[in-house]
Structures are given as C-alpha cells and as structure tokens.
Amino acid sequence: MSNVIADQLGFVRRQAVEYVRTINDSASEIIPPGLKNNIKWNLGHMYVIHEKFAFQLAGEETNYPANFSKWFDPGTQPSDWNIEPPSLSQIIDLLTEQIERVESVLSSKLKEEIKPHYKSSTGLIFSNVEELLAFLIYHEAMHFATIKNIKSIIDSLDS
C-alpha cells in the first residue's frame, strides 16, 4: 500500500508487535499498582478496535475471535475476566495477521466513503476509510506508549 497513512499504521503496529515479542505471558498479565489494565489487555484492545475501525465500519468482513469483545472492548478490564484469555503469542499472531489484512483488503479503498458516516464517542466524524485508518494510528500509538509504560513499571518492580 503506497499511502502515507497506511504505511504509518503498519509501522506503528509492527513496532508494537516487535516490542512485546520478548515479554513472557505471565508478565503480560501483571497489572501495576494504580492501573486497571495490563499489556495483554492493551494488545487485545488494539486488535478489537482495529477490527471495528478498519473492517466493520468500512463494510468489510471482520474477524473477532470468540470472547474477544468480552475481554478487550472499551470499558473491560482483566479483573473482570472469568475465562482464560488467549496467550500473548496468540494475540501477537492475530495482530500480525490483522495488519496484513488491512494492507491487502483496504489498499484500494482508502478514499471510499463509509455509510453511514461514523461519529465517535468524542464527537469525531469519519467519512471514509482513510480517516478511519488515520484514527487508528493515534489509537495504536497511544496504546503502544501505555504498553511501554507498563513494561517500565514491571521492570522497576523486578529491580
């Protein structure tokens, strides 16, 4: 996809995936004091929001694995989980596959209008696929920064 928005989105996703590859599953589930979520939740949440904004709102086929909404939708948190979540490696595989789907499925549809236009909970209005992907750059980067912060806190607890 030769589009700056799509290229940047792929870059942010690949950076996040590479960063978490060395984290073990148990560390990904640590919730530092004062926080509500862990690294695993942030990654799963990135996946769920990407499905909504990159595929569902664009009128494309989605891939929501079983229970992903229950675990990772906005407002959810690991303290509410009552069934075993996916492993970190399963989430990493899904995140990798997802960005490849974005690149292959949406590369020729960036200027396509979405109907109806989507108004976010903060009042932002999206009218085409490119606008949805541009928002995802922000969303991915915000959660990547949160993941890095959580990892830093975990590392300081181990010292």
Side-chain angles (χ1 to χ4, degrees):
M1 218 187 292
S2 61
N3 173 285
V4 70
I5 298 292
D7 291 346
Q8 288 179 4
L9 182 58
F11 173 78
V12 173
R13 171 61 63 87
R14 288 179 180 92
Q15 290 293 305
V17 165
E18 284 309 309
Y19 184 82
V20 298
R21 281 195 192 280
T22 59
I23 298 171
N24 68 47
D25 205 63
S26 61
S28 78
E29 293 185 353
I30 295 171
I31 302 170
L35 299 181
K36 295 188 302 186
N37 292 309
N38 54 31
I39 290 170
K40 185 177 282 187
W41 182 89
N42 277 274
L43 291 168
H45 178 74
M46 287 165 52
Y47 182 88
V48 165
I49 296 305
H50 223 90
E51 281 302 304
K52 179 177 184 175
F53 279 77
F55 296 103
Q56 181 180 336
L57 293 175
E60 298 294 332
E61 184 177 335
T62 59
N63 178 25
Y64 289 104
N67 297 309
F68 257 57
S69 292
K70 180 186 284 189
W71 290 315
F72 305 119
D73 268 0
T76 62
Q77 55 191 22
S79 62
D80 296 333
W81 294 349
N82 55 15
I83 53 175
E84 190 69 27
S87 70
L88 182 60
S89 66
Q90 289 170 314
I91 295 173
I92 288 171
D93 289 346
L94 285 166
L95 289 167
T96 301
E97 178 275 331
Q98 186 183 54
I99 201 66
E100 292 167 359
R101 261 190 308 127
V102 168
E103 291 169 345
S104 67
V105 172
L106 299 175
S107 62
S108 63
K109 301 180 181 199
L110 298 173
K111 299 297 182 188
E112 282 189 12
E113 186 175 3
I114 60 166
K115 293 184 182 183
H117 292 176
Y118 179 76
K119 185 175 182 179
S120 74
S121 61
T122 58
L124 192 57
I125 297 173
F126 301 93
S127 60
N128 67 33
V129 172
E130 190 171 42
E131 291 171 0
L132 294 169
L133 297 184
F135 168 76
L136 287 172
I137 293 170
Y138 157 76
H139 187 261
E140 295 267 321
M142 181 182 66
H143 283 280
F144 182 30
T146 299
I147 289 166
K148 290 171 86 173
N149 182 50
I150 292 171
K151 171 99 168 56
S152 171
I153 293 168
I154 291 168
D155 290 347
S156 72
L157 296 174
D158 290 341
S159 303

